[in-house]
Structure formats: C-alpha cells, structure tokens
Amino acid sequence: FEYRGILIDTSRHFLPTRIIKETIDAMMYNKFNILHWHIVDEDSFPLVLESHPEIAEHASFSIYERYSTE
C-alpha cells in the first residue's frame, strides 16, 4: 500500500505521552507511515500553546490532561 495509517483521538480520550510514544514505536514495527493525531476539538483543547495558553486553561478536561510543546 502507498500509505498505512492510524488515528489517535486525544481530544476526546486523553492518552499519556508514554502511550503515544509506544504507539509510534509499534507503527514502525508494523510499517505504518501515517499518524493522524486528532489533538483538538470544539469540545476539548488539551494543547497548551505558547501564544495562547489560556485556551487550554479553559478548554481542557482537567489540569492533568494537557499536552505541552515540551
């Protein structure tokens, strides 16, 4: 196949970064070459942006379920 991919939907179902990294490693072993990461949605915005950190403050499900650029 030209591409083989997987979808991770963390906007609705938070996953720890450890699990996301393990998924990427598993993709390599199974020759997957596309990762579609659905990280934000109108219901949840768990991504902390340096330019607008207040969005994640008000739109994430909890303070512990956020992704930073680190």
Side-chain angles (χ1 to χ4, degrees), residues 42-46 52-62 66:
E42 70 179 41
D43 295 331
S44 171
F45 200 101
H52 298 288
E54 70 278 0
I55 296 174
E57 183 178 326
H58 299 292
S60 62
F61 288 123
S62 78
R66 294 181 186 164

Side-chain angles (χ1 to χ4, degrees), residues 18-42:
R18 176 185 58 83
I19 299 295
I20 295 171
K21 290 177 181 179
E22 288 175 3
T23 302
I24 293 170
D25 287 341
M27 288 176 62
M28 177 187 64
Y29 293 120
N30 291 290
K31 297 183 180 179
F32 280 42
N33 59 0
I34 301 292
L35 173 66
H36 179 84
W37 189 357
H38 187 209
I39 192 167
V40 296
D41 203 344
E42 70 179 41

